[in-house]
Amino acid sequence: MQEALDDLERNDILSREQAALLRQIYARELFSVHWELRILLYGGILVLTAGLGLLVAKHFASIGDLTLLAAIALGCTACFAYCLRHGGGFSPERLATPDAAYDYVLLLGCLLLGTLQSYLELRYQLLAQSWNWWLLVSALTYLLCAHYFDNRLVLSLALSTLGAWLGVKTSLPGAWPWDGALRDNAIFFGGLVVAAGAMQTRLGWKRHFLPVHLHLGINVLLAALVAGVGSRGADLAYLAGLLLAGSGSAFYALRERSFAFLLYAVLYGYLGITIFVFNRGHWSSEGVIFYFLASAASLLMALVALHRRFRSAE
């Protein structure tokens, strides 16, 4: 590598400064902390929002409703004003991020908006028994912000909130979280999210949003199908659906060289098959131990081999 850089510098393909920078990178004297900083910023936004929620819950009586509402609304307005001033605008293509704080200020504004809605409902019961519609309003607002400001963090928040609204709306008090209608609605929601991402990509609208749709949609879909395998009566149908969806995820992984989607297919498939096998047979304790030892070892070796193939293909 050093000889190649020397040749490039000698032939005036690289300047002295460029060659020196590349030598530092190759010697690992310089390294990127981009993702570490992004994780810290994201965690800081979540901690700040959680702290605000605790503050509201603990001191709303002494501070006063109007003061708290005004403070939250002011912070939310300031965040959106900052984002409107520095960026935004509908575009089917990826928009350049104006600065490092832009994405996180937008995320903070959306979370403050959710806090404001929650506080209004908590104190004034504006929707009473229909409070779950606040989730739908929040989800649609976040979805609009994600597309207008071209932000994948907010898109994740929007899709998660939409799924939460669907789950709250259809669940029954005291029901098992993955039981009955809720499980089937999770399958519908996961398929809908994946289909929406694929449709956007085909139409040429926000193609870079596709991974967000796929990661969330496939995980929800496969998890719901695995839960269905554990149900009595329709376990074979759910297993067939799980294998079909897992095959689609694996095919996409191989086509796009994305190991994560292959990992989803293998792990959820293994879990579903394991549940099906144990539900359909009578196993001794020795058989259970042998099954998990043999299957887990085989699964681990397969994943390591597949990961090496993906790395070598890159």
Side-chain angles (χ1 to χ4, degrees):
M1 183 65 181
Q2 296 288 357
E3 294 177 358
L5 290 174
D6 291 339
D7 290 338
L8 292 172
E9 184 180 3
R10 192 179 305 114
N11 295 324
D12 294 328
I13 297 175
L14 292 177
S15 67
R16 180 179 299 176
E17 292 77 12
Q18 291 172 328
L21 178 61
L22 290 175
R23 288 190 184 96
Q24 286 182 302
I25 294 173
Y26 177 70
R28 296 187 181 277
E29 296 175 8
L30 294 177
F31 58 92
S32 173
V33 293
H34 173 77
W35 288 109
E36 289 82 355
L37 290 176
R38 288 182 69 93
I39 291 171
L40 286 174
L41 284 169
Y42 181 69
I45 294 297
L46 294 181
V47 170
L48 177 62
T49 309
L52 179 61
L54 291 174
L55 177 67
V56 169
K58 187 174 182 179
H59 298 290
F60 68 87
S62 58
I63 298 176
D65 294 335
L66 292 180
T67 303
L68 282 172
L69 286 171
I72 297 171
L74 183 61
C76 180
T77 303
C79 290
F80 283 116
Y82 175 89
C83 294
L84 285 170
R85 182 177 178 181
H86 290 83
F90 283 103
S91 172
E93 304 298 330
R94 184 196 296 266
L95 296 175
T97 303
D99 52 60
Y102 178 80
D103 289 343
Y104 300 94
V105 172
L106 177 61
L107 178 63
L108 178 60
C110 291
L111 292 175
L112 287 176
L113 179 62
T115 303
L116 180 63
Q117 292 172 338
S118 301
Y119 189 72
L120 284 170
E121 182 60 31
L122 175 68
R123 297 300 296 158
Y124 300 107
Q125 283 88 42
L126 299 179
L127 298 181
Q129 297 300 319
S130 301
W131 64 268
N132 59 82
W133 290 100
W134 281 116
L135 291 172
L136 179 61
V137 172
S138 297
L140 295 178
T141 304
Y142 299 156
L143 202 60
L144 176 63
C145 290
H147 286 81
Y148 185 82
F149 295 104
D150 192 52
N151 191 287
R152 286 181 288 183
L153 277 174
V154 177
L155 177 64
S156 301
L157 181 63
L159 295 176
S160 301
T161 307
L162 186 61
W165 169 76
L166 185 63
V168 170
K169 187 175 183 297
T170 56
S171 62
L172 297 174
W176 175 250
W178 286 107
D179 194 29
L182 185 57
R183 180 181 58 237
D184 295 336
N185 278 326
I187 294 173
F188 167 76
F189 174 73
L192 181 64
V193 170
V194 171
M199 183 62 68
Q200 277 192 204
T201 302
R202 182 170 293 274
L203 294 175
W205 177 267
K206 301 290 186 185
R207 288 190 176 96
H208 57 291
F209 279 4
L210 179 61
V212 177
H213 283 266
L214 293 183
H215 281 291
L216 177 63
I218 287 176
N219 273 286
V220 171
L221 178 61
L222 294 178
L225 288 168
V226 167
V229 173
S231 64
R232 296 293 182 180
D235 53 348
L236 190 58
Y238 281 109
L239 179 63
L242 174 64
L243 295 177
L244 181 62
S247 298
S249 180
F251 175 77
Y252 178 82
L254 294 173
R255 192 186 72 179
E256 300 296 327
R257 314 306 305 171
S258 177
F259 182 73
F261 292 99
L262 183 60
L263 187 64
Y264 299 154
V266 172
L267 292 182
Y268 282 111
Y270 170 77
L271 185 58
I273 291 172
T274 299
I275 293 172
F276 181 81
V277 166
F278 279 105
N279 281 348
R280 287 299 182 102
H282 299 284
W283 292 70
S284 64
S285 57
E286 293 82 3
V288 171
I289 294 172
F290 176 77
Y291 173 85
F292 278 111
L293 286 176
S295 61
S298 301
L299 179 66
L300 183 60
M301 289 188 293
L303 287 176
V304 170
L306 289 169
H307 187 258
R308 287 177 177 172
R309 288 191 60 183
F310 271 71
R311 291 292 299 272
S312 61
E314 294 175 356

